[in-house]
Amino acid sequence: MAFKVATYNILDGGLGREEHLSRVLDHIGSDVLLLQEIYDPRWLENYAKRNGLHLFVAKSNTKRNTGILSRFEIEEAS
């Protein structure tokens, strides 16, 4: 089974650019997408729900977290 994986740095949390970022994510259309520099995961949670995606946000020791969006169920993450 082949699937598409992508990574995208949203730059300083993406605040105020959520609509633009959502269009970019739609265009990328990957099965698994890793997003760097997530400050506030709420917009990403909403995006995941609207698009039927699974989400995990990996917390860091700074405000720059990493988000993982997946068309596949995320069975385990820490």
Side-chain angles (χ1 to χ4, degrees):
M1 175 174 94
F3 60 94
K4 183 177 178 181
V5 177
T7 183
Y8 182 46
N9 185 317
I10 65 167
L11 184 62
D12 293 330
L15 300 175
R17 297 180 287 117
E18 295 88 353
E19 197 171 310
H20 172 74
L21 291 169
S22 293
R23 287 193 304 270
V24 170
L25 299 184
D26 290 344
H27 180 74
I28 292 171
S30 65
D31 297 305
V32 178
L33 178 62
L34 290 88
L35 298 155
Q36 296 92 15
E37 296 194 24
I38 303 292
Y39 290 179
D40 182 351
R42 289 179 289 188
W43 76 270
L44 196 54
E45 291 167 355
N46 291 331
Y47 179 85
K49 286 179 188 174
R50 282 194 316 272
N51 291 283
L53 301 171
H54 301 275
L55 171 65
F56 175 75
V57 176
K59 303 290 183 186
S60 77
N61 58 354
T62 70
K63 64 182 177 179
R64 291 176 166 88
N65 303 301
T66 300
I68 302 169
L69 288 169
S70 176
R71 296 193 190 289
F72 308 102
E73 184 176 347
I74 300 171
E75 293 183 14
E76 185 177 334
S78 56

